[in-house]
Amino acid sequence: MRAKIIWENGYIMPWSKGTMHVMNPSMHYGIAAFEGIRFYRTDRGPAIFRLNEHIARLFYSMNVLGMPSPYNHHHLKTAMIELIRLGGMDEGYIRPIAYFSDEQVGLKNAGGNIAIQIGLFSWGKTAKQSLRVTQSRYMRIHPKTTDVEAKISGHYVNTHLALKDAMAKGFDDAILLDHNGTIAEASAANIFAVQKYKIITPERGSILNGITRQTIIQLLRDNHFTVEEQSITPYALLAESLEIFLCGTAYEIIPVTQLDEYTINNGFPGFLTAVIAKMYRRVIHGMDNRYAHWLTYVA
Ligand code: PMP
């Protein structure tokens, strides 16, 4: 594993040299926008998966917070490519974060100078093969309390509590319901269920519209599967699902084998989930030319 490094407002430095004054307002109120991005090994060297979409979502989140970016799309793209080249890793994770950097707390100070930092560290295979999840006692943030489609630091208080509670009960992750009592998402992943004739996933409204979620919907439709974005009750999830899986940049695609006291697919990873995971793996590693436009090669 090569050393972790960081890009701070245009300068690349060792991980340990990263700086941030603790009295900035973003730190205190969760007013920051960030992304989680992976890059993978391919035959042509490392490639960043769906970088353009991640940068676009970062700008969207910043916009929601009233945070005009000091860097444009091209600057950030170049910065990430440069980081990966310098880091010398062929697989890893990139974490850009934008925040209000004035050394002065107070909500009204969340509007001054804006800083962007980008951390880079190595990340190979996702460790877990399957997940045991529990329906959370915490509700997913209501869409009228904030913009749930923005990836904003403060939103993660909600999923932190849900995940902590799930783990304390011996589960790997939490499934949060939305304000209607229907399935929303996991702590940092979207959810899909395989039914008899179709694959379903919660509709947009109370969820982060994950880039992995969008990728899976497209891959499935391109391969003539029926995918529906719809509201899913907890009862329907249990009663009508042959398979369940979670997906996200960090998880990629991981089967759920248990939901509270119920086993899913007899406790085994599902067949179709494995098929989808394989399709996804081929795409991220540059083995499916139809999706070459989703990869940004670093070499
Ligand atoms: N939902 C939440 C709450 C998340 O934090 C994430 C991770 N970004 C996801 C879903 C999955 O999104 P993506 O596929 O873009 O990583």
Side-chain angles (χ1 to χ4, degrees):
M1 191 184 101
R2 302 289 288 265
K4 299 186 278 194
I5 46 177
I6 197 150
W7 181 99
E8 253 190 54
N9 302 306
Y11 300 93
I12 293 177
M13 57 195 72
W15 190 263
S16 58
K17 299 280 182 238
T19 61
M20 188 190 76
H21 199 284
V22 73
M23 284 298 149
N24 78 74
S26 289
M27 169 77 195
H28 293 250
Y29 314 116
I31 309 166
F34 70 100
E35 275 304 313
I37 309 169
R38 298 274 288 266
F39 58 98
Y40 294 99
R41 187 178 294 129
T42 77
D43 282 350
R44 292 168 48 197
I48 312 172
F49 186 57
R50 304 206 70 172
L51 177 59
N52 290 329
E53 291 82 354
H54 280 286
I55 294 176
R57 187 170 65 185
L58 178 66
F59 285 155
Y60 175 76
S61 308
M62 291 173 71
N63 220 351
V64 167
L65 295 176
M67 206 183 245
S69 180
Y71 302 95
N72 65 24
H73 191 107
H74 176 75
H75 287 139
L76 292 184
K77 193 167 177 168
T78 313
M80 293 187 222
I81 292 173
E82 192 60 29
L83 262 179
I84 296 174
R85 283 195 187 135
L86 266 171
M89 305 157 190
D90 50 7
E91 295 205 298
Y93 187 87
I94 313 168
R95 164 58 59 89
I97 181 158
Y99 61 98
F100 289 112
S101 56
D102 285 342
E103 298 166 10
Q104 199 176 8
V105 289
L107 257 186
K108 66 179 184 321
N109 295 320
N113 284 314
I114 296 151
I116 297 189
Q117 300 205 17
I118 310 171
L120 177 95
F121 51 89
S122 130
W123 187 339
K125 291 232 174 320
T126 299
K128 290 228 178 268
Q129 299 297 313
S130 66
L131 299 171
R132 299 170 56 251
V133 302
T134 180
Q135 187 177 305
S136 185
R137 65 192 172 96
Y138 292 101
M139 183 177 91
R140 186 71 181 114
I141 39 177
H142 192 292
K144 286 192 174 157
T145 55
T146 175
D147 182 336
V148 290
E149 292 210 347
K151 198 165 164 64
I152 290 172
S153 299
H155 292 179
Y156 287 81
V157 174
N158 174 232
T159 51
H160 163 72
L161 292 175
L163 179 62
K164 189 164 68 83
D165 183 53
M167 287 171 59
K169 292 175 176 148
F171 291 95
D172 301 308
D173 207 336
I175 302 297
L176 289 88
L177 305 187
D178 64 14
H179 59 285
N180 295 315
T182 57
I183 304 290
E185 58 187 331
S187 63
N190 293 112
I191 183 166
F192 281 76
V194 178
Q195 297 190 330
K196 208 164 178 185
Y197 300 111
K198 63 181 180 185
I199 296 153
I200 60 170
T201 191
E203 62 201 346
R204 287 166 69 178
S206 293
I207 60 169
L208 187 76
N209 183 19
I211 290 167
T212 319
R213 174 185 183 274
Q214 297 169 43
T215 301
I216 291 169
I217 292 173
Q218 184 163 349
L219 291 180
L220 286 171
R221 288 191 176 145
D222 289 353
N223 285 285
H224 313 292
F225 288 97
T226 304
V227 188
E228 273 170 22
E229 299 173 64
Q230 61 179 64
S231 100
I232 307 170
T233 64
Y235 174 76
L237 183 69
L238 266 176
E240 292 160 24
S241 301
L242 304 174
E243 304 176 21
I244 298 176
F245 63 87
L246 300 187
C247 69
T249 298
Y251 273 164
E252 298 172 333
I253 293 163
I254 305 194
V256 170
T257 50
Q258 192 177 339
L259 172 51
D260 287 308
E261 64 269 42
Y262 303 97
T263 53
I264 310 297
N265 194 39
N266 294 318
F268 293 103
F271 174 75
L272 210 64
T273 303
V275 168
I276 299 165
K278 188 166 179 198
M279 279 187 214
Y280 185 75
R281 234 179 357 259
R282 286 179 51 78
V283 172
I284 59 180
H285 288 292
M287 285 149 39
D288 190 335
N289 283 334
R290 288 174 297 172
Y291 305 102
H293 56 284
W294 283 345
L295 299 178
T296 301
Y297 287 93
V298 169

